[in-house]
Amino acid sequence: MALFNSRKRSTSPSYVSTSTTLIFIALCVFGVWMISSNYGFSPQTLTDEATSTSMAIDTSSKINNDLSSTQDIPQITTKNIQEPVETTTKSTIEDSAETNTNSEMQKDTSTTTTVFEDNPGHLPDDAIKSDDKNNNNEANKQKSGTSDSQMFEESSVTQKEQASSVSESGNNDQNSESEKVQQSSVEASEGNAKGQDSMESQNANEAENKEQNLGQKQDVQSFDTRGSKNNEDEANKEQLIEDKGDITKKDGKVTTQDENVDSKKEDTSQVSQSEPEKNENQGESAKSQDSKAEKKGQKSKKAWATQADQSHQEKKRQQDNTWYLCNVTAGADYIPCLDNEKAIKMLRSTKHFQHRERHCPEDPPTCLVPLPENYKTPIQWPSSRDKIWYHNVPHTLLAEVKGHQNWVKVTGEYLTFPGGGTQFIHGALHYIDFLQQAEGGIGWGKHTRVILDVGCGVGSFGGYLFERDVIAMSFAPKDEHEAQVQFALERGIPAISAVMGSQRLPFPSNVFDLIHCARCRVPWHEEGGMLLLELNRVLRPGGYFAWSATPVYQKLEEDVEIWNAMSSLTKAMCWDLVTINKDKLNHVGAAIYRKPISNECYERREKSEPPMCKDNDDPNAAWYVPLQACIHKVPVNKAERGAKWPEEWPHRLHKAPYWLNNSQLGIYKKPAATDFSEDSERWKNVVDELSNIGITWSNVRNVMDMKAVYGGFAAALRDLPAVWVFNVVNIDSPDTLPIIYERGLFGIYHDWCESFSTYPRTYDLLHADNLFSKLKERCKLAAIMAEVDRIARPGGKLVVRDESSTISEVAALLKSLQWEIISSNEEKGILSAKKGNWRPDSLASS
């Protein structure tokens, strides 16, 4: 009724103005129709524009009927578009009519907000200037507030491989034309707004404030619309690339594609997000930043921080892991690469003991191995050589079947080790001296320093060799001889779980001074002597093979057949049978062979059986390399490794190998011999250094250098009588393991993206020098730390030297594992931590 009365009071000029406006708007509608016909808009676009035009007509109608409220309709600005224009209307209606008008204006704002959400193209400067300086300033503020949000969205597109935002450039041309229509409507409305009294101006200001609030809400909602679009043609993709190029030029904050790739490496969860999740995250972060920018009327400082926050939160989530106990059959004895039941079940054959070899899970486990019930702090060396806590390795089968051979016995709460074995019931030390007497050239602790013990049992042979200043790399499979290697490690004797199967052993060629087998149950003579030929590969030229087994001294039919086969094989391999001796105390015998130091014998053979290996066969390649029944030639060039025997121990420890010369570059980019010497110098004070950060050496026996180079760390610990160091050379690092063996130390090749071939709770100290920063580029740091937790003993220590950022990540993971951080200096890049007894309560899903 109020509206009807207002029409009666309108003057004739008002009627003329109304007519003029209606005609003008009709022309605008016609122009829109013509433009849409020319540019081929989609039906959806035409519908949106028709809706916008209809609302504009409806609003203009109300305006010309003396609706005298003044409204400023803010528009979202994007890069390279004109500044926002102001639409001014007036109204003198009652509150109820004003409410209705605001509702209509909100609908109109929603429509125009969608139209202005993207780049309309490059317009001339004079086409986008505003006549009002104040309005221009306000528009600049608005533009500044939205530009960061748009750049954030563009950068997110790049970082997420443009999966969800390609469509944003599709509306650019459409928006440009729509802006022209809106601007024309605004100009017409401004003409009708002149000549009103001061009361109308006051009402206009109130309406303006309300409409600005509505406009801000609509601006925020526009990101939802953009985040949900999916389908655009190739032309729009090209336009999007051009638009992003413009932003990059104008604002140095835009990241490059390389930086985005680095971001993906750091935040792996973003790569694996589903498409809806990516759209949702992008929309939410964009809304948050745009809203803050609009409200403050200035450029947002946090538009780029959103992605950083996302990455930070994801890293924090990874570091704050919820750990679970491993849900596996092996329980407290779990070795992931040896207890992979799924992979073992899929094996086509187990003829060559493939089921005892490494079969690592595709995804390294991040679960934690439980502790045995009533676990205690291990007994210290040297007492541990003779006894260990029963509850630490609660297995009695070996005591039952091997007790009479003095392997192991159950004595109250202890497992005791009389020092015997199948071939040395009366003690390993007597047997060791027996071998020395049989062949004086062995020279324990001088000529012979590093040996390989095949089928080591509980490790007594290697354990007693320490008294002769000899270190033994002992190994045996994880088989029916329950926990034999675990017994050895708990006693403080070096050992790994491995088998002579279908693959090469993880050692370089020509490195062991002597190889020992005492009833090791390996069929050396079968498969063309393939397994014995593998020993020939790793045995140093001139080195010994000591074989103590029943075929050597018994005359049973089977034993005789094996002896004859071994005799033929070793003769064909040019091994010299040095001696066969009998141990009267133990009633056993041993045959000792020696590997040739030249190739002359091979050249004189009547038959090439076994054949010589091909010239392109690399004898040092040892990581998952299949075995071949062939003989590698002996190095004869005097400058070649293996052509000479190392100097006697201990002189060989600190002297650079003869085959390292200054014509080669070392690991640290200096002449190789100089590099070697400086590495030794670097570590000479390591004992005192580690003592200062919480390492109590009296509690340390089993030590692992997780990333050895020249073995300098191990060499520096040599004077600690209770300590031995297992050196690990990573498969993607320079192959320096032969140098380590040349020094009279020992080690193994390994990839720390997989689990190590050892039982849980076997090392007192783990040392990682610049390992984790490189390693995390290709495998998950959480899985690596779970492996560290697996092989470290409760009460054991970890020392990390690395980049400060990596130190921080490692510390966070260790804290989540309930390790105690003893010392941490990110500036110096060193950390030490101690493992406790904590285990999670929940089991991992199977």
Side-chain angles (χ1 to χ4, degrees):
M1 188 66 184
L3 182 61
F4 179 77
N5 290 338
S6 68
R7 288 183 177 178
K8 283 188 177 183
R9 290 194 298 269
S10 298
T11 62
S12 58
S14 177
Y15 285 111
V16 172
S17 176
T18 301
S19 302
T20 302
T21 301
L22 290 174
I23 292 170
F24 179 77
I25 292 174
L27 289 174
C28 291
V29 173
F30 179 76
V32 171
W33 179 79
M34 290 295 292
I35 291 169
S36 63
S37 300
N38 291 335
Y39 287 92
F41 287 139
S42 65
Q44 180 61 41
T45 305
L46 292 176
T47 302
D48 292 344
E49 290 199 5
T51 303
S52 176
T53 305
S54 174
M55 290 185 178
I57 293 172
D58 183 53
T59 305
S60 297
S61 174
K62 295 179 182 294
I63 291 169
N64 290 316
N65 288 312
D66 293 333
L67 302 176
S68 56
S69 64
T70 302
Q71 305 278 350
D72 287 343
I73 306 177
Q75 310 293 334
I76 290 183
T77 59
T78 59
K79 55 185 182 304
N80 303 324
I81 72 170
Q82 69 265 36
E83 298 165 358
V85 297
E86 294 183 358
T87 302
T88 305
T89 61
K90 297 181 179 181
S91 177
T92 58
I93 62 173
E94 288 101 17
D95 292 341
S96 60
E98 182 177 343
T99 302
N100 184 50
T101 303
N102 288 340
S103 176
E104 293 295 329
M105 293 299 289
Q106 183 176 354
K107 294 178 181 177
D108 187 46
T109 303
S110 177
T111 305
T112 56
T113 300
T114 304
V115 171
F116 280 88
E117 68 188 11
D118 284 309
N119 189 353
H122 303 281
L123 300 178
D125 292 340
D126 57 353
I128 62 176
K129 287 182 179 178
S130 171
D131 293 334
D132 192 321
K133 292 183 178 180
N134 293 331
N135 291 343
N136 193 27
N137 291 335
E138 187 66 22
N140 285 336
K141 290 181 181 180
Q142 209 170 24
K143 183 176 182 179
S144 174
T146 56
S147 61
D148 260 23
S149 297
Q150 288 171 342
M151 286 191 295
F152 158 77
E153 185 163 331
E154 294 285 358
S155 69
S156 295
V157 168
T158 303
Q159 291 168 345
K160 299 181 182 180
E161 301 183 339
Q162 303 178 4
S164 61
S165 301
V166 173
S167 62
E168 292 181 17
S169 63
N171 297 322
N172 289 347
D173 294 334
Q174 170 187 345
N175 295 342
S176 178
E177 297 302 329
S178 300
E179 287 180 44
K180 293 180 181 179
V181 176
Q182 294 294 332
Q183 188 170 0
S184 298
S185 300
V186 169
E187 291 173 354
S189 299
E190 286 177 344
N192 292 330
K194 295 177 180 180
Q196 299 298 326
D197 57 20
S198 60
M199 181 62 70
E200 292 170 337
S201 177
Q202 182 177 354
N203 293 338
N205 289 334
E206 295 173 358
E208 177 183 351
N209 293 333
K210 294 181 180 179
E211 189 60 20
Q212 284 178 340
N213 293 333
L214 290 172
Q216 290 173 353
K217 293 180 180 178
Q218 295 299 329
D219 290 345
V220 175
Q221 292 171 354
S222 68
F223 284 97
D224 285 338
T225 303
R226 288 186 287 187
S228 63
K229 294 180 181 179
N230 293 316
N231 300 320
E232 292 296 334
D233 56 23
E234 292 299 319
N236 291 333
K237 294 179 182 178
E238 294 175 1
Q239 178 64 40
L240 178 62
I241 294 171
E242 292 176 2
D243 293 342
K244 286 189 290 184
D246 291 340
I247 288 180
T248 304
K249 292 177 182 178
K250 288 193 173 188
D251 195 322
K253 289 184 180 180
V254 177
T255 58
T256 64
Q257 182 63 29
D258 289 341
E259 290 170 337
N260 295 328
V261 171
D262 292 338
S263 176
K264 289 178 185 177
K265 288 180 180 178
E266 293 176 1
D267 189 2
T268 56
S269 68
Q270 291 175 343
V271 177
S272 62
Q273 276 184 322
S274 64
E275 199 66 28
E277 290 174 329
K278 289 195 284 185
N279 288 337
E280 179 182 351
N281 288 343
Q282 182 179 348
E284 288 297 326
S285 57
K287 285 193 289 183
S288 173
Q289 297 304 321
D290 190 48
S291 177
K292 292 180 180 179
E294 292 291 343
K295 289 179 180 179
K296 292 182 180 179
Q298 60 184 7
K299 187 172 182 179
S300 172
K301 298 295 184 182
K302 295 187 178 180
W304 287 97
T306 302
Q307 177 59 26
D309 288 344
Q310 286 179 336
S311 298
H312 175 74
Q313 290 299 327
E314 173 57 21
K315 290 177 183 178
K316 188 175 184 300
R317 184 196 66 78
Q318 292 181 5
Q319 292 168 1
D320 295 340
N321 280 287
T322 300
W323 300 98
Y324 297 94
L325 289 175
C326 296
N327 188 5
V328 291
T329 305
D333 299 334
Y334 181 45
I335 305 176
C337 290
L338 298 181
D339 292 318
N340 188 352
E341 295 178 349
K342 180 180 178 181
I344 292 173
K345 288 178 181 177
M346 296 176 65
L347 292 174
R348 296 182 179 180
S349 171
T350 59
K351 179 181 178 181
H352 296 105
F353 302 96
Q354 291 93 332
H355 58 302
R356 306 296 185 194
E357 294 179 328
R358 291 172 58 86
H359 303 282
C360 299
E362 292 183 7
D363 294 322
T366 55
C367 58
L368 305 184
V369 177
L371 291 176
E373 189 175 355
N374 298 319
Y375 181 87
K376 296 182 179 181
T377 300
I379 296 171
Q380 295 181 6
W381 181 269
S383 299
S384 61
R385 186 181 67 180
D386 301 326
K387 64 180 181 179
I388 64 174
W389 296 113
Y390 163 76
H391 289 292
N392 288 12
V393 191
H395 300 293
T396 59
L397 179 61
L398 274 180
E400 296 170 5
V401 300
K402 295 290 185 179
H404 66 287
Q405 295 176 349
N406 287 331
W407 278 40
V408 56
K409 297 179 181 293
V410 179
T411 308
E413 59 180 348
Y414 299 104
L415 291 170
T416 57
F417 301 88
T422 304
Q423 296 298 100
F424 39 90
I425 296 175
H426 297 286
L429 202 56
H430 167 81
Y431 175 75
I432 290 168
D433 291 339
F434 157 70
L435 295 177
Q436 169 76 61
Q437 293 167 3
E439 171 49 40
I442 289 177
W444 296 123
K446 292 184 178 181
H447 182 79
T448 297
R449 162 64 180 174
V450 186
I451 79 159
L452 180 69
D453 188 18
V454 182
C456 65
V458 296
S460 291
F461 181 70
Y464 280 88
L465 276 171
F466 280 109
E467 294 193 17
R468 300 293 182 261
D469 215 359
V470 173
I471 55 174
M473 171 69 72
S474 302
F475 76 91
K478 190 178 185 183
D479 58 10
E480 65 275 7
H481 285 158
E482 190 179 43
Q484 53 186 335
V485 168
Q486 191 174 16
F487 284 134
L489 287 161
E490 184 71 15
R491 296 172 69 189
I493 300 169
I496 60 170
S497 289
V499 67
M500 299 290 295
S502 65
Q503 298 173 345
R504 289 181 178 178
L505 296 170
F507 312 117
S509 65
N510 305 318
V511 291
F512 289 105
D513 303 334
L514 180 145
I515 299 177
H516 173 254
C517 163
R519 291 284 289 273
C520 55
R521 302 172 62 195
V522 178
W524 301 118
H525 59 290
E526 295 181 359
E527 302 285 341
M530 185 166 59
L531 299 180
L532 194 63
L533 290 166
E534 173 60 4
L535 294 191
N536 184 75
R537 181 185 72 86
V538 299
L539 181 62
R540 191 182 297 278
Y544 294 100
F545 174 60
W547 183 40
S548 177
T550 55
V552 175
Y553 56 89
Q554 287 187 358
K555 300 300 180 182
L556 299 176
E557 182 178 353
E558 181 182 7
D559 291 327
V560 172
E561 289 178 0
I562 293 174
W563 173 257
N564 291 336
M566 278 289 286
S567 297
S568 298
L569 176 61
T570 53
K571 183 178 180 181
M573 292 171 58
C574 296
W575 280 14
D576 180 23
L577 178 58
V578 178
T579 185
I580 301 175
N581 270 31
K582 251 190 174 181
D583 178 8
K584 296 180 179 179
L585 178 63
N586 290 308
H587 303 289
V588 298
I592 300 176
Y593 300 87
R594 189 168 182 260
K595 180 179 176 178
I597 57 175
S598 73
N599 295 309
E600 295 178 2
C601 174
Y602 301 139
E603 296 168 356
R604 294 197 307 264
R605 292 187 305 167
E606 295 180 1
K607 293 182 179 180
S608 294
E609 294 292 340
M612 302 302 294
C613 297
K614 295 180 180 179
D615 292 338
N616 61 357
D617 186 316
D618 183 1
N620 293 310
W623 189 246
Y624 291 122
V625 177
L627 288 177
Q628 290 182 329
C630 64
I631 303 173
H632 290 96
K633 289 183 178 179
V634 172
V636 292
N637 186 331
K638 296 302 181 182
E640 189 176 359
R641 180 176 71 83
K644 296 180 182 179
W645 195 266
E647 291 195 27
E648 287 191 350
W649 177 262
H651 301 293
R652 63 195 279 188
L653 178 63
H654 296 294
K655 188 173 181 179
Y658 68 88
W659 39 271
L660 273 187
N661 58 71
N662 285 331
S663 64
Q664 304 168 287
L665 275 183
I667 306 305
Y668 305 115
K669 308 304 180 185
K670 295 182 179 180
T674 303
D675 222 34
F676 174 90
S677 299
E678 291 190 1
D679 181 73
S680 296
E681 185 70 17
R682 174 194 178 193
W683 296 109
K684 71 176 184 179
N685 296 321
V686 71
V687 173
D688 293 336
E689 181 186 6
L690 296 188
S691 297
N692 293 333
I693 60 172
I695 305 301
T696 304
W697 292 108
S698 60
N699 298 331
V700 174
R701 170 63 179 170
N702 303 358
V703 179
M704 178 184 287
D705 191 359
M706 298 178 70
K707 188 189 175 188
V709 181
Y710 295 119
F713 176 79
L717 301 186
R718 189 257 169 177
D719 291 333
L720 297 175
V723 171
W724 59 266
V725 181
F726 203 152
N727 296 281
V728 178
V729 172
N730 291 258
I731 62 168
D732 60 344
S733 298
D735 185 7
T736 56
L737 192 55
I739 299 175
I740 292 171
Y741 275 93
E742 197 78 5
R743 301 184 72 170
L745 307 172
F746 64 178
I748 194 171
Y749 294 119
H750 184 61
D751 180 2
W752 283 111
C753 289
E754 301 177 359
S755 72
F756 196 76
S757 294
T758 190
Y759 278 85
R761 305 170 301 281
T762 49
Y763 284 88
D764 300 302
L765 175 62
L766 300 173
H767 179 256
D769 181 31
N770 290 288
L771 169 65
F772 299 131
S773 57
K774 183 177 181 181
L775 202 59
K776 69 180 184 179
E777 295 177 0
R778 56 190 187 88
C779 43
K780 296 178 182 178
L781 193 55
I784 301 168
M785 299 315 296
E787 176 65 4
V788 167
D789 182 87
R790 187 184 73 86
I791 66 179
R793 286 172 168 173
K797 310 288 179 59
L798 169 68
V799 174
V800 180
R801 305 170 192 268
D802 223 309
E803 300 170 357
S804 59
S805 59
T806 302
I807 291 289
S808 178
E809 290 182 64
V810 170
L813 282 166
L814 290 175
K815 288 177 182 177
S816 72
L817 289 164
Q818 308 299 313
W819 282 49
E820 175 190 354
I821 305 300
I822 301 172
S823 174
S824 179
N825 190 326
E826 292 185 15
E827 184 178 346
K828 293 184 178 180
I830 189 167
L831 172 148
S832 66
K834 178 181 178 181
K835 178 181 175 180
N837 288 337
W838 176 82
R839 296 292 87 179
D841 296 325
S842 302
L843 282 175
S845 57
S846 57

